[in-house]
Amino acid sequence: MKTRVALLGTAAALAMAPAMALAERERGSSGHLNIIYWQAVSTMNPYLSGGTKEMNAASVVLEPLARFDNLGELTPWLVDEIPTLENGGVSEDLKSITWTLTEGLLWSDGTPVTSADVVFSYEYCTHPEGGCSYRDRFAGIERVEAVDDLTVTVHFEDVTPNPYLPFVGAGSVIIQQAQFQDCLGARAPECTDANFAPIGTGAYAVSNFRPNDVIEFVANENYRVPNQPYFETITWAGGGDATGAARAVFQTGEMDYAWNLQLAPEVIAQMEAGGRGELLVDFGPLMERIELNFTDPSPDLPPDERGTRAHPHPILSDIRVREALSRAIDRELLTEIGFGPMGMATCNFIVAPPAMASPNNDNCLVQDIDRANELLDEAGWERGADGIRVKDGRRLELLFQTSTNAVRQDFQALIQADWREIGVEARLRNIDAGVFFGSDPGSDDTYLKFFADVQMYASLFEGTDPTPHLEQRRCGREPQPSTQWQGQNINRYCNEEYDALWAELNREADPDRRQELVIALNDMFVQDYAHLPLVARGRVSAASTTVGGIVMNVWDSEHWNQAEWYRIEE
């Protein structure tokens, strides 16, 4: 398989083509670009969706003050330099950080970007009646202050040794106050025009958006780099499946870029042999897992209590059941069948950076059916006549849902067989990915509502500091009716000891101690069997051999340098 890991970087990519220097290229000179996301995008406002597909699509329009490059290094984006202790941008007491916007920045409608927009972005995402998916990025902030038109200071409630979470990365973008000022709190989902076509500072603007279908982008005439972006227009198609998306790049050439190719390795290798495209793979924090619901998803409950912490899960609240489910899974087989060299079986919540991956949980790598059976025996679940366990008249039956794609359906079938071996019946359900990862608060089929017992998907975090990713599992961060079912604590986990340890991490300045705390939080979460890690996955996409400038990035949006993509001239 001709895998191009991390795509070599821009400079190397240029060397591969009959090169015209980037400085000599003109805005729009490469014409049109076709991108396919077989999981269609449901909104262009990343604050209203926890999905990677929405974050990636929005990232070509909405931008943060700083972001992470392909090496995980913090990079100025809407500012000229990163604030530090050395340059005075971070206060000596580690309780504030001051950012200075690049002078002359314009929104795509031609109006100036000011510090008031930065302050408003904070107010929008932290509104008490809102349901911002990335509210964790703003944890521990006392206030955000506009010092002058270009200067903004973030004041923290306590010592904050890592102040680079608010307004950093594709999940913490700046939105225009003038466009969103009437969309605060509970009104946020109602602002369809703003959510579907946000005014941004990025290389592109939305010219047409059909949710769960297609997005049309056009080059932003007010983009700060005069000769970028190099593609004039983009069609961002959605829907279908991973097989069709891969075929559209590797075989037919209809598409220039395909995202998230969850296909068996032999299928990808066969397609790639056609020579029209190249596989792009890089490893970071992406991890496939099974979430276990700590709340009762029964439809018999009142609508405002279903899937909330008012009702603990009647089966999965017992750690012995959760551990048995984990020990019964053959993770090595899942990895071999589903990802091959593009995956690695794991028992950890935090799988990257390598120094922060715990060495203490490898016992899940070996399937242990005997111990799983012992645990269920101890928990009082007895085998019924059909082999499925029963306790107090209740069958040990779980609704297992995930998104629709070939690899996940293979995983479901294998895990179903593993669980049946220990007397657990798994009823399988798969949901169209555009719906499953969608943001519609009226849909009962989203992974955020989690109206099932267990569900499977993958997620990652931006940058090399997992602090905000760990913060997502704090009490009160769960999706719930009062937040329009937005939130990142998907399985409704709540552990006061975990919360206290996270608060210590958030204050700790010593790098070695921070590493220890990350590992301790990871261990607490996985040893409580709060969820079941399966496979540390590579980020896998495909690009046409006629497109240059792509730099794969596992620490930020996959489209972080979209403005630099160009058509290779033959």
Side-chain angles (χ1 to χ4, degrees), residues 233-388:
T233 53
I234 300 174
T235 295
W236 193 296
D241 56 31
T243 302
R247 185 176 293 119
V249 172
F250 288 133
Q251 295 180 331
T252 69
E254 298 170 68
M255 292 291 167
D256 296 304
Y257 193 86
W259 168 78
N260 192 26
L261 298 183
Q262 286 184 261
L263 295 168
E266 62 271 15
V267 174
I268 292 178
Q270 183 178 11
M271 288 189 183
E272 194 179 15
R276 288 178 177 262
E278 293 182 273
L279 192 69
L280 320 180
V281 181
D282 202 2
F283 286 86
L286 183 63
M287 190 266 290
E288 190 83 16
R289 85 285 304 278
I290 291 176
E291 296 283 3
L292 305 178
N293 201 338
F294 277 73
T295 64
D296 190 346
S298 171
D300 297 332
L301 293 171
D304 61 343
E305 297 180 15
R306 182 185 184 190
T308 71
R309 289 204 294 117
H311 298 277
H313 197 283
I315 296 173
L316 298 174
S317 295
D318 189 333
I319 188 174
R320 293 169 295 185
V321 176
R322 302 195 300 269
E323 182 178 350
L325 293 174
S326 178
R327 289 187 178 278
I329 296 172
D330 188 340
R331 288 168 172 82
E332 295 289 359
L333 179 61
L334 294 178
T335 305
E336 178 185 346
I337 289 176
F339 297 100
M342 296 175 290
M344 180 171 57
T346 186
C347 304
N348 283 322
F349 180 52
I350 301 299
V351 297
M356 293 187 177
S358 172
N360 305 322
N361 303 302
D362 289 349
N363 61 334
C364 92
L365 295 178
V366 178
Q367 184 185 39
D368 192 344
I369 295 294
D370 290 341
R371 180 56 184 154
N373 276 314
E374 288 175 3
L375 285 161
L376 294 179
D377 291 340
E378 293 169 11
W381 291 92
E382 299 178 354
R383 294 268 187 180
D386 62 353
I388 302 304

Side-chain angles (χ1 to χ4, degrees), residues 25-57:
R25 297 183 184 277
E26 297 180 358
R27 177 175 293 165
S29 58
S30 288
H32 186 72
L33 180 74
N34 287 307
I35 293 173
I36 184 166
Y37 269 47
W38 57 274
Q39 296 178 13
V41 175
S42 61
T43 179
M44 283 295 295
N45 182 351
Y47 286 141
L48 297 186
S49 173
T52 304
K53 58 192 174 70
E54 280 79 24
M55 182 184 73
N56 282 352

Side-chain angles (χ1 to χ4, degrees), residues 36-90:
I36 184 166
Y37 269 47
W38 57 274
Q39 296 178 13
V41 175
S42 61
T43 179
M44 283 295 295
N45 182 351
Y47 286 141
L48 297 186
S49 173
T52 304
K53 58 192 174 70
E54 280 79 24
M55 182 184 73
N56 282 352
S59 71
V60 306
V61 174
L62 299 172
E63 300 178 308
L65 299 182
R67 69 189 333 155
F68 300 94
D69 66 14
N70 58 305
L71 301 178
E73 299 293 333
L74 199 57
T75 303
W77 214 254
L78 298 181
V79 297
D80 291 329
E81 68 174 350
I82 301 296
T84 63
L85 273 170
E86 290 72 21
N87 63 27
V90 174

